[in-house]
Amino acid sequence: MSSTISSAADAIASNEDLLTEILLRLPAKPLLKFKFVSKEWFSLISSSQFCLFHARRCRDNASFTAAVLLFHCDTSHTPPTGFHVVPLKNQCSKVPFFDYLGDSDVRIMQSCNGLLLCRSCDKFQYLSYFICNPSTNKIRIVSFPQAEVDGFVYAVNLAFDPLKSVHYKIISIRRLVWVAPRFQIDIYSSKTDSWSVKVLNFTKPDDVWLNCGVFCNGAIHWEGGDRSSLYLDVENMCLKAMPMPARMLDAPEGSYGESNRFLGESRGHLHLTVNYKPLCLQFNIFEMAADYSDWFLKYRMNLETVVKGFPEIPLYPDEEGGNQVSALCVIRSKIDEVSTVVVFVNGKAISYDLHDGTLTKLCDLEPCPKIHGHQSNYEAFHVYQYFETLSCV
């Protein structure tokens, strides 16, 4: 019997096509270990073609969905890692905390399909940026083009689509000092390991936040309140206006104002979620049309009734602590439908299933500090999806 099993194993190992089909069905973490079985396996799993096929298979079987969320509280009093880890899948029990970097002051700037764009600050307040794959513990320091005296790096964004290419681009936005408020875009390509400088010059509206970009379908999107926002078509290097829903559009009956807006992406769809006063537990989830013509209302979500099952969460804002909805993330398990919304409210991460209306507490978060006796405003909170991936940096 043992000789038969051995012969079968040898037959599989010697058939690269069959071996590839088997390995493509495995998650990223085991594959990273299997690379060291042999030189042949290392070469196969490390190849660009294998990484591309693996990402596409993960998409097809819906496993390319966030494994965890990284919740960042943007203050100087955060935990040493600077973020909380919120598990969404049982198999993702261990998540790297960047302890291998030897630098506790690390901030995640953007999560993009398994790669993280991060920023660190040393004791001399010198800022540096790097690309990181937490699954492989690999990083690449970003070396910007030679700085000019008339500008400085204002914002940095990451563009990476593993379904199309194993390569990524870094978008550096430089503010021109003497020509305010003019900005310049430089682009780094990991394929050529080089920068294209002065690709584009533009003027930014005052309320557009360039350091909070969301990558979706080949473009970086920057929110701009209730006026026109901007998005950058990375492939064609052109900047376009993006409409935003008017304030109180399709607002629930009885609400008198918006509380927060949360821009995000999941499986190729751009979402904007708005919650409303007075209770802050009623949400509208808008989705951007494929032609960028407008937003349409995708879902209404009311957690007022469901949240009563959590007596530790005050229902009314005038109660102790109020309803501090600090962040929100929309997650699609399938390309054509939203399945889960994760809400961060009053120090708790809560998952809401849109199909059956159930609410599940994922974990408790360490409270973010109050500033001058008041809770920090919602702009200080950020949520980043994290995927296990084979992608190289």
Side-chain angles (χ1 to χ4, degrees), residues 65-125:
T65 303
V68 299
L69 298 178
L70 306 177
F71 175 82
H72 185 270
C73 180
D74 190 12
T75 72
S76 59
H77 304 286
T78 50
T81 57
F83 53 86
H84 305 282
V85 175
V86 180
L88 295 181
K89 291 184 178 180
N90 294 331
Q91 66 266 29
C92 191
S93 57
K94 294 182 179 180
V95 179
F97 279 77
F98 295 156
D99 51 352
Y100 56 91
L101 295 176
D103 187 350
S104 61
D105 190 5
V106 173
R107 175 179 174 182
I108 301 172
M109 305 301 294
Q110 184 185 347
S111 177
C112 192
N113 296 317
L115 299 185
L116 301 180
L117 170 65
C118 302
R119 188 185 74 187
S120 64
C121 181
D122 62 19
K123 62 181 179 180
F124 301 107
Q125 302 301 306

Side-chain angles (χ1 to χ4, degrees), residues 43-55:
S43 176
L44 172 61
I45 298 173
S46 301
S47 69
S48 299
Q49 186 179 43
F50 185 89
C51 292
L52 194 63
F53 288 165
H54 186 262

Side-chain angles (χ1 to χ4, degrees), residues 179-310:
V179 201
R182 295 287 293 177
F183 295 83
Q184 171 185 303
I185 292 180
D186 302 329
I187 303 290
Y188 169 83
S189 169
S190 66
K191 183 177 182 178
T192 61
D193 191 23
S194 62
W195 284 89
S196 298
V197 299
K198 299 182 180 179
V199 174
L200 194 65
N201 284 352
F202 67 99
T203 301
K204 177 187 78 69
D206 292 337
D207 58 350
V208 172
W209 308 309
L210 296 178
N211 58 346
C212 297
V214 174
F215 180 74
C216 180
N217 293 330
I220 298 285
H221 303 80
W222 297 291
E223 186 184 353
D226 57 347
R227 291 187 283 178
S228 290
S229 299
L230 296 176
Y231 70 98
L232 174 69
D233 183 333
V234 178
E235 186 68 27
N236 298 308
M237 274 300 107
C238 56
L239 200 63
K240 301 179 182 180
M242 179 175 69
M244 296 299 289
R247 291 283 173 180
M248 299 299 292
L249 177 66
D250 293 318
E253 185 177 353
S255 58
Y256 62 79
E258 292 186 3
S259 180
N260 300 330
R261 288 188 168 201
F262 306 99
L263 182 67
E265 179 272 347
S266 183
R267 298 180 70 84
H269 295 261
L270 195 65
H271 303 113
L272 181 72
T273 306
V274 184
N275 67 327
Y276 301 88
K277 302 174 182 179
L279 300 186
C280 303
L281 293 175
Q282 298 183 80
F283 302 83
N284 280 346
I285 300 176
F286 296 93
E287 184 174 315
M288 173 58 75
D291 61 358
Y292 285 88
S293 58
D294 207 352
W295 297 85
F296 61 91
L297 183 62
K298 184 75 173 179
Y299 294 100
R300 290 188 187 273
M301 189 171 68
N302 190 338
L303 303 186
E304 293 176 18
T305 302
V306 187
V307 84
K308 291 179 180 178
F310 297 86

Side-chain angles (χ1 to χ4, degrees), residues 315-326:
L315 181 60
Y316 296 99
D318 56 356
E319 297 183 41
E320 181 65 25
N323 289 322
Q324 297 288 344
V325 179
S326 51

